[in-house]
Amino acid sequence: MLTGLRIKNFAIIGELQMTFGDGLTVLTGETGAGKSIILGALGLVQGDRASPDSVRTDEDEAVVEAVFDIADRPSIRQKLREMGFEAGSDLVLKRIVSRSEKNRVFINGSAATLGMLTTLSEPLIDICGQREHQVFLNPDNHIDILDDFGQLLAQRREYAEVYGAYQVLQEQRRELQTRAKNRGEKLDYLTFQLQEIDQAALREGEEEALQEEKKILSNIAKLETHTAAAFDDLYGREESVLTLLRTVQTEIKSINDIDDRFPTPSQDLDALYYQLEELAFALRDYRKTLVSDPQRLAAIEDRLEVMQKLKRKYGQTVGDILVQRGTISDELKDLSQLSEDMEALDARISASLQVLEKKAQHLSEARQEAARRMEQAIGDELKTLKMVAAAFQVKFAWHAEKGLALGPKGWDQVEFYLSTNIGEVLKPMARIASGGELSRIILAMRRIMLQTDPVATMIFDEVDSGVGGATAELIGEKLRDLAARHQIFCITHLPQIACFGDHHFRISKAVTDGRTHVRLTVLSEEERIDEIAHMMGGGNFTEIAKKYAGEYRRALGQKTEQQA
């Protein structure tokens, strides 16, 4: 239940702070007094879009704060705990709309997200105005309204899960069909690619080895020149390095024979001599291996060109080509068993479709049973609202000429039909209802929906549009009856409805210090009679209107006591 509302710097509202009770609360006032502004502020608590333009002129931010009593709403308290907030008997939802900064949301004093606020407010408060009228009139919403009335949403979710799985299977089949469409050409192409790679017989490391061999064969002449020069310098010339080293070795030996203090014995030079001699022999043997082989060089270049060609098509390295070869092979296997996969998938689709059609059938049967109950309930409500000739019907369409069309909500197409006069055929509700009739129809639908709706607070805006007299009194009685189970707010221009309120607020505008302000005044019983008389007789209401208003209030009170 909504127990408090604070609005600050919103539109032309400077600051309003209101406390509410249970039962039926009526709000009255002249056109343009600010009723729609208060509804707009409540819309922010519901999660409606916030605009910086809604901030009062010359102010930086607007604040809307609503307090709800949730002592008897354990599901709300549990949701609060799951979100990480304190969960007491009160819930405080607050929105701050800023001109220049980011808008903010608070739940019980802690920062929150807009999604959290919307989730919590949805089962707490509902505003029924012109926008909601359009919801009821739009045929696209009728199946949802019927399922809500019949408490079939859980059953519909079960169907939707199966439908979603069925759609996944259908999408997989479409993908297989797309692959199968060019299967022959794809098989030929992949087979060619696989053969092309296999014919090359590539090996890891082969390319590097061939590059090294090519480098040697391409430089045989240079290698021979350098090898011969090194060999001659070490061993082949008359005054080679080894010949000179022998001479040096003889001289050092003579030094050692005379003075053993010389640090380098001739034996060390022996080791150096033999090492250089081995190097010379190695150069000689290496030179023998340097044989020019143009044919081998050409073969290597051809092989490398094959590799280069494959790299341009399949990857940057031989390793990449071999990986691609595995991918091609796997794809060939998949294509080869495509027919088997298609058969297996078709079997799964057939089984899924059987389950889906069975659930759709059960859902449709439950809807038709709920539709009969809805027709009866709305018909009874309309009769009590002085629409005794009205006939309401829930019509189903299944596209019989095309067979049953399964969709995310089943195979039913639902639309509400109405006839308001004797002898008139039933027609779509959106095309048949006048303004006054529409208000009563929406009220009737709201009444039957609220029998199962957990929403705690309902706000009716313009429910009295196009009606008056005895019909308005009936609407007031209906709202009073609803107020026995829900907290009801009603914005009205009709005294016949205002008289039924347990609480009465007057909305008005005043100018103070050159600024327009919206005021919300709690009316005493005497002030209520004056307000109702004003609604009856206009601006200059007479004592007769005031007396009548008082008698009307008392009569309604007595009638209510008798009914109780």
Side-chain angles (χ1 to χ4, degrees):
M1 182 178 76
L2 179 65
T3 59
L5 179 66
R6 184 171 75 93
I7 306 172
K8 184 176 181 181
N9 297 330
F10 183 77
I12 60 172
I13 295 177
E15 183 164 8
L16 285 179
Q17 191 150 352
M18 298 151 276
T19 301
F20 304 114
D22 56 6
L24 173 60
T25 298
V26 296
L27 297 94
T28 61
E30 300 292 342
T31 301
K35 298 184 290 295
S36 61
I37 298 175
I38 294 175
L39 288 180
L42 282 169
L44 290 181
V45 175
Q46 289 186 297
D48 287 355
R49 182 177 178 273
S51 169
D53 295 336
S54 62
V55 180
R56 185 172 169 83
T57 303
D58 297 332
E59 299 293 342
D60 293 329
E61 61 183 27
V63 180
V64 178
E65 187 174 52
V67 182
F68 295 89
D69 180 357
I70 58 170
D72 59 347
R73 303 298 295 270
S75 60
I76 300 294
R77 297 199 302 275
Q78 176 61 30
K79 181 64 69 174
L80 277 169
R81 285 189 286 268
E82 291 173 357
M83 292 179 176
F85 300 108
E86 293 183 5
S89 59
D90 288 333
L91 169 63
V92 182
L93 303 180
K94 181 178 180 180
R95 285 193 71 180
I96 299 177
V97 182
S98 175
R99 285 189 184 277
S100 56
E101 299 180 359
K102 185 177 180 180
N103 297 336
R104 287 162 286 167
V105 175
F106 295 90
I107 295 175
N108 286 346
S110 299
T113 67
L114 186 59
M116 292 175 176
L117 178 139
T118 303
T119 299
L120 291 172
S121 66
E122 184 175 358
L124 291 175
I125 187 168
D126 191 9
I127 300 175
C128 179
Q130 289 301 312
R131 182 176 62 181
E132 286 68 29
H133 288 190
Q134 296 306 313
V135 171
F136 278 102
L137 291 178
N138 187 347
D140 293 339
N141 300 320
H142 290 177
I143 194 169
D144 299 326
I145 296 171
L146 176 61
D147 288 349
D148 191 10
F149 169 80
Q151 298 184 346
L152 303 176
L153 295 178
Q155 184 176 348
R156 195 172 88 179
R157 282 193 294 271
E158 292 179 6
Y159 166 86
E161 290 178 3
V162 178
Y163 180 79
Y166 176 74
Q167 290 300 308
V168 170
L169 293 176
Q170 289 283 34
E171 181 60 30
Q172 292 175 358
R173 195 182 194 286
R174 283 190 289 270
E175 292 177 359
L176 287 181
Q177 285 178 321
T178 300
R179 293 173 59 193
K181 185 177 181 181
N182 301 315
R183 180 174 176 271
E185 295 179 4
K186 189 70 172 176
L187 276 172
D188 292 342
Y189 180 63
L190 291 175
T191 300
F192 166 77
Q193 288 184 314
L194 190 64
Q195 290 176 348
E196 185 178 38
I197 295 173
D198 287 347
Q199 285 175 357
L202 301 176
R203 300 184 303 277
E204 287 280 5
E206 179 187 10
E207 183 180 21
E208 292 77 5
L210 289 175
Q211 291 284 9
E212 186 65 25
E213 186 177 358
K214 176 185 175 182
K215 183 171 71 172
I216 293 172
L217 289 174
S218 300
N219 293 279
I220 287 293
K222 290 182 179 180
L223 290 171
E224 285 184 338
T225 299
H226 296 311
T227 303
F231 178 78
D232 287 344
D233 288 342
L234 276 175
Y235 193 84
R237 288 189 293 108
E238 183 176 344
E239 295 201 8
S240 65
V241 170
L242 288 173
T243 300
L244 294 174
L245 186 58
R246 278 296 185 191
T247 301
V248 171
Q249 186 179 23
T250 299
E251 297 298 338
I252 290 176
K253 186 176 182 304
S254 297
I255 294 172
N256 289 333
D257 290 341
I258 298 172
D259 188 354
D260 58 6
R261 293 177 302 167
F262 186 75
T264 303
S266 61
Q267 292 83 350
D268 292 347
L269 292 178
D270 288 344
L272 178 59
Y273 180 88
Y274 292 131
Q275 288 177 1
L276 291 175
E277 187 178 50
E278 288 180 5
L279 177 57
F281 294 155
L283 287 169
R284 180 194 62 193
D285 294 341
Y286 173 69
R287 185 180 179 185
K288 293 177 182 178
T289 66
L290 298 175
V291 179
S292 178
D293 191 347
Q295 292 183 342
R296 175 57 182 169
L297 179 59
I300 290 174
E301 289 177 341
D302 290 343
R303 179 63 172 168
L304 290 173
E305 177 58 29
V306 169
M307 293 181 178
Q308 192 62 32
K309 179 181 177 181
L310 292 176
K311 285 198 294 183
R312 284 194 294 267
K313 295 174 66 174
Y314 303 109
Q316 296 181 351
T317 66
V318 171
D320 293 339
I321 297 171
L322 295 176
V323 169
Q324 183 64 17
R325 191 263 179 207
T327 302
I328 294 170
S329 178
D330 291 342
E331 193 171 353
L332 269 172
K333 291 178 182 177
D334 290 343
L335 285 174
S336 298
Q337 62 182 26
L338 190 60
S339 298
E340 297 177 6
D341 292 343
M342 186 77 78
E343 291 177 2
L345 186 58
D346 283 342
R348 292 176 61 193
I349 290 174
S350 177
S352 178
L353 181 59
Q354 290 181 10
V355 175
L356 186 63
E357 288 179 338
K358 187 175 181 180
K359 287 189 174 295
Q361 178 66 35
H362 290 165
L363 183 58
S364 182
E365 291 170 355
R367 278 183 180 140
Q368 292 175 65
E369 192 276 330
R372 303 292 80 80
R373 290 189 285 112
M374 175 180 270
E375 290 170 350
Q376 181 65 45
I378 291 181
D380 293 342
E381 285 291 330
L382 292 177
K383 286 181 175 61
T384 65
L385 289 168
K386 300 296 184 183
M387 295 181 68
V388 294
F392 175 83
Q393 184 178 6
V394 181
K395 284 202 172 184
F396 288 78
W398 296 290
H399 295 295
E401 71 280 2
K402 297 181 180 178
L404 299 175
L406 288 166
K409 298 178 183 179
W411 59 37
D412 299 315
Q413 284 198 347
V414 172
E415 186 169 2
F416 298 154
Y417 275 61
L418 184 72
S419 172
T420 57
N421 297 294
I422 296 174
E424 295 295 324
V425 298
L426 289 158
K427 295 181 181 179
M429 191 170 71
R431 291 164 44 195
I432 200 70
S434 66
E437 291 170 337
L438 177 60
S439 296
R440 283 178 280 175
I441 292 165
I442 297 302
L443 178 59
M445 297 187 76
R446 277 294 185 182
R447 272 181 56 82
I448 68 165
M449 296 300 292
L450 282 173
Q451 292 174 9
T452 57
D453 196 332
V455 68
T457 300
M458 172 64 67
I459 299 173
F460 286 91
D461 181 28
E462 298 187 19
V463 71
D464 54 10
S465 175
V467 300
T471 302
E473 184 175 329
L474 286 172
I475 290 176
E477 289 180 352
K478 296 294 183 182
L479 293 173
R480 181 195 59 193
D481 294 344
L482 280 176
R485 299 185 300 275
H486 304 269
Q487 182 188 35
I488 304 296
F489 290 83
C490 179
I491 297 173
T492 182
H493 294 284
L494 296 181
Q496 296 94 328
I497 293 177
C499 285
F500 283 92
D502 298 304
H503 318 282
H504 195 143
F505 288 79
R506 181 174 62 231
I507 304 171
S508 60
K509 286 195 295 190
V511 178
T512 305
D513 297 330
R515 297 293 301 275
T516 301
H517 298 266
V518 174
R519 292 177 177 174
L520 194 67
T521 306
V522 183
L523 301 184
S524 65
E525 181 61 27
E526 185 174 349
E527 289 171 330
R528 289 190 67 178
I529 292 174
D530 287 345
E531 177 71 6
I532 293 169
H534 174 82
M535 296 170 73
M536 288 178 174
N540 298 315
F541 64 89
T542 64
E543 287 299 319
I544 296 176
K546 184 175 179 179
K547 181 180 179 181
Y548 178 73
E551 293 177 351
Y552 192 45
R553 279 280 299 162
R554 285 189 291 274
L556 286 178
Q558 293 173 0
K559 183 177 180 181
T560 301
E561 291 176 1
Q562 292 172 0
Q563 290 175 346

